[in-house]
């Protein structure tokens, strides 16, 4: 069944009854169940900071999740969020749905008092939203540096580079 790009869609918080549809969107977008398992674990561990879906004509076609992330510094822990995953059903990709989800989520995160967001993804895509590989260069991470990016949600770049070790939610398999 093919879909034409949707003209109208709504972005809203996740409801418990959305879970099976969300699983389907994520599995289709990532061609497998690894990210489905990740989301289920983040939900069960209550590590979610923000989770939204895109709905069109009663069907969920997109999903975004931000979990708690810590940046451990010498004698401090800085709170941040990790964007993972962002998923849009393949038939609806390249129609602005992921873009709309990210923009809406960033606004809500700022309202919630969040200041930093980290993503592991394609720099050409996430760079359009203010994520920057150079800003994440001083962060210690188990993930490939060329895909690790940081975005300052509330202010312009500070004078000093943020440094420290990234500590993801346990669902990511890192401690």
């Amino acid at each position: 069944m093919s879909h034409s790009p949707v003209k109208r869609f709504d972005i809203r918080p996740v409801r418990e009854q959305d879970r099976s549809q969300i699983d389907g969107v994520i599995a289709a977008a990532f061609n497998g169940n690894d990210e489905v398992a990740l989301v289920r674990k983040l939900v069960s561990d209550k590590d979610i900071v923000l989770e939204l879906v895109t709905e069109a004509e009663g069907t969920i076609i997109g999903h975004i999740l931000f979990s708690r992330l810590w940046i451990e510094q010498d004698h401090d822990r800085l709170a941040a969020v990790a964007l993972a995953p962002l998923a849009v059903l393949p038939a609806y990709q390249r129609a602005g749905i992921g873009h709309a989800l990210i923009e809406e989520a960033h606004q809500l995160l700022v309202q919630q008092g969040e200041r930093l967001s980290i993503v592991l993804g394609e720099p050409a895509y996430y760079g359009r939203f203010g994520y920057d590989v150079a800003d994440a260069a001083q962060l210690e991470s188990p993930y490939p540096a060329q895909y690790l990016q940081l975005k300052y949600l509330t202010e312009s770049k500070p004078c000093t580079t943020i440094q420290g070790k990234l500590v993801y939610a346990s669902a990511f398999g890192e401690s």
Side-chain angles (χ1 to χ4, degrees):
M1 173 167 97
S2 69
H3 298 279
S4 57
V6 289
K7 301 274 188 273
R8 183 164 149 28
F9 55 85
D10 295 307
I11 296 175
R12 63 168 175 78
V14 169
R15 300 178 192 129
E16 200 47 49
Q17 64 265 31
D18 296 336
R19 288 284 158 214
S20 63
Q21 276 193 72
I22 289 170
D23 289 353
V25 169
I26 296 169
F30 287 96
N31 204 17
N33 287 313
D34 289 352
E35 284 78 8
V36 172
L38 171 67
V39 169
R40 285 183 179 172
K41 179 104 173 84
L42 288 166
V43 169
S44 69
D45 290 350
K46 297 182 176 23
D47 283 327
I48 296 172
V49 175
L50 180 67
E51 187 178 21
L52 302 172
V53 292
T54 306
E55 189 175 48
E57 299 168 2
T59 300
I60 293 173
I61 59 173
H63 171 263
I64 192 168
L65 187 146
F66 290 82
S67 59
R68 177 56 65 211
L69 170 73
W70 297 98
I71 302 171
E72 284 190 345
Q73 298 170 323
D74 290 335
H75 303 289
D76 200 13
R77 283 179 86 183
L78 194 58
V81 293
L83 189 177
L86 168 65
V88 176
L89 282 176
Y92 296 99
Q93 291 175 0
R94 294 175 178 55
I97 292 161
H99 186 277
L101 274 167
I102 291 172
E103 294 288 343
E104 177 78 12
H106 284 166
Q107 289 178 17
L108 292 170
L109 288 165
V110 168
Q111 290 171 17
Q112 292 178 16
E114 297 296 337
R115 296 179 19 226
L116 298 169
S117 181
I118 304 283
V119 70
L120 188 72
E122 181 52 54
Y125 181 76
Y126 289 101
R128 298 185 298 190
F129 305 100
Y131 287 90
D132 192 331
V133 172
D135 289 338
Q138 297 301 312
L139 296 172
E140 188 184 324
S141 169
Y143 301 109
Q146 69 268 31
Y147 297 110
L148 188 69
Q149 300 158 73
L150 182 141
K151 175 181 173 56
Y152 297 96
L153 294 168
T154 54
E155 71 257 5
S156 56
K157 294 180 188 181
C159 297
T160 57
T161 305
I162 291 187
Q163 301 180 51
K165 178 183 178 187
L166 296 181
V167 180
Y168 286 85
S170 63
F172 288 93
E174 301 297 327
S175 55

